[in-house]
Amino acid sequence: MSDGYASRMPTPEAAARPWQTHTVAIRDVRREVEGVSTYDLAFLDDTVREAYRFAPGQFNMLYLPGAGEIAISVSDDPRNTEAYGHTIRVAGNVTRTLAGLGVGETLGLRGPFGTSWPLSECIGRDVVIVCGGIGLAPLRPAICTLLQDRQQFGRLNLLYGARSSDTLLFEREYDDWSRQGMDVQTTVDRSSPGWLGNVGVVTLLLDQLPSFDPHNTVLMCCGPEVMMKFTVMAALNSGLSEQQIWVSMERNMQCAVGLCGHCQLGPTFICKDGPVFRYDKIAPFIDVEGL
Amino acid sequence: MEADQLRFILQELRFSAVLPVEGLGRLAEESTVRRVAAGEVVFRDGSTNNNLYLIRSGRLALEMNVPGRGAVRILTLGAGEMVGWSALLGQGKMTAGAIAIEDSDVVVASADRLRELCEADRDFGFLLMRQMADALSKRLVATRLQLLDLFADAPSLIPTQQAD
């Protein structure tokens, strides 16, 4: 089946000039939850803007002079071509510096890099998306794409876990996603007064999922690695095979083109061969201590 | 509800679906279906309870009483799940309370009668206890994951965005 949605390789521009950083301006900043904001970044160069395309799951390298460079997945609807949302949690020097910037200020961007979610393989099949914490951000472009072509797919389920109800990402969009045909279930590790939703880890939601055909399902997963490991175990117990499961891995990505080796996992480089992997491709390396 | 109807219900619930039909028939004869309204307490933390509950529809929450904090919700359970395992093990004092968070239907079985069934039919007892162990092991793993606090602000635990 041809991939009608996206290439799973960097765009020709990024592949040809992986080191070329383009200047982008911050068009908008939206606070999502405490410590997490979405930055809409727009290319200043019209030619670059017109040529740039990303596939759901791919990432960009964001460069802040004097602070450093960091890999961030695009969290926007791929149909948006004017500016690209990057949902970022303040976690270190670069993101702290970024958090100090406002609308109109500029930074560098190179990309997109890496593999994408297998949306073409989802056609005609049920899709289960399992994610936790900020792991919903790299899956948001895939959700937008699935809902845009809703009739192409079977049952769509989103199972999302967060630490608490006030850290649920993109909560304002859940109703829209539900209306468009996705069953959205959330759960939190810690309940708070007034919370009437689910409590418990997200893997339990997978066990409780009433309506999906394990033999005709694609499962996409993104979140802390331990969470993904137990999600995969639950999925395999439900009857899915390793070939039906896709995970987004992350390591210390620095060059984004598989040269520096910082993100090596066994024989693969997360930046170049991932971040999205079919599970059977990386299963032998997941439980290896120190990798 | 007739025992035959109840047996069909039990065959559709994840917890009991794998049990042999003959055993399910006996379980059905010892069970009833009860409607629990949203907000209704099924059993209280620390209370004595002698029933095992299987959720047919709706959702129940497990809560623990913490002095100074009140009832802390620790887990929610949905259709097909089991509640009240302490009773089946003969430990009738509940380690957590259960409350309906939406209108729910539950299958209620006497734990004493279930244990008698297990004693009389060891094969059935083995399968029932295996289901119990499977459910509890999943809850144990889930509790461990909660203890790890994976979504806390430790940079090394956030894989979708590397620490910079």
Side-chain angles (χ1 to χ4, degrees), chain A residues 70-73 87-95 132-135 138 161-163 189-191 195-201 203-204 207-208 222-227 230 250-253, chain B residues 14 59-62 69 71-79 81 101-102 134-135 138-139 141-164:
Chain A
I70 184 174
I72 299 288
S73 296
T87 301
I88 298 169
R89 188 179 67 83
V90 175
N93 191 36
V94 179
T95 49
I134 202 167
R163 192 178 196 223
D189 281 354
R190 288 163 172 70
S191 66
W195 171 252
L196 296 176
N198 293 306
V199 180
V201 294
T203 52
L204 293 176
D207 288 331
Q208 294 172 14
C222 187
E225 202 163 308
V226 175
M227 185 214 91
F230 283 95
E250 195 90 12
R251 287 292 186 277
N252 181 15
M253 294 192 278
Chain B
R14 186 169 51 256
R59 283 188 308 147
L60 302 186
L62 299 184
R69 292 170 62 186
V72 177
R73 192 160 293 177
I74 52 173
L75 184 66
T76 49
L77 298 165
E81 303 282 340
I101 47 179
E102 56 190 61
D134 181 62
K138 283 178 178 169
R139 289 186 203 175
V141 169
T143 303
R144 288 173 176 169
L145 291 176
Q146 282 174 294
L147 278 174
L148 286 175
D149 202 8
L150 295 171
F151 306 127
D153 287 345
S156 61
L157 294 178
I158 307 294
T160 55
Q161 179 194 309
Q162 69 191 54
D164 50 310

Side-chain angles (χ1 to χ4, degrees), chain A residues 39-62:
Chain A
Y39 297 79
D40 289 343
L41 305 178
F43 291 102
L44 295 186
D45 185 322
D46 289 343
T47 308
V48 175
R49 188 181 70 235
E50 286 165 14
Y52 182 91
R53 294 290 181 274
F54 77 95
Q58 288 190 302
F59 67 93
N60 290 316
M61 298 299 294
L62 304 185

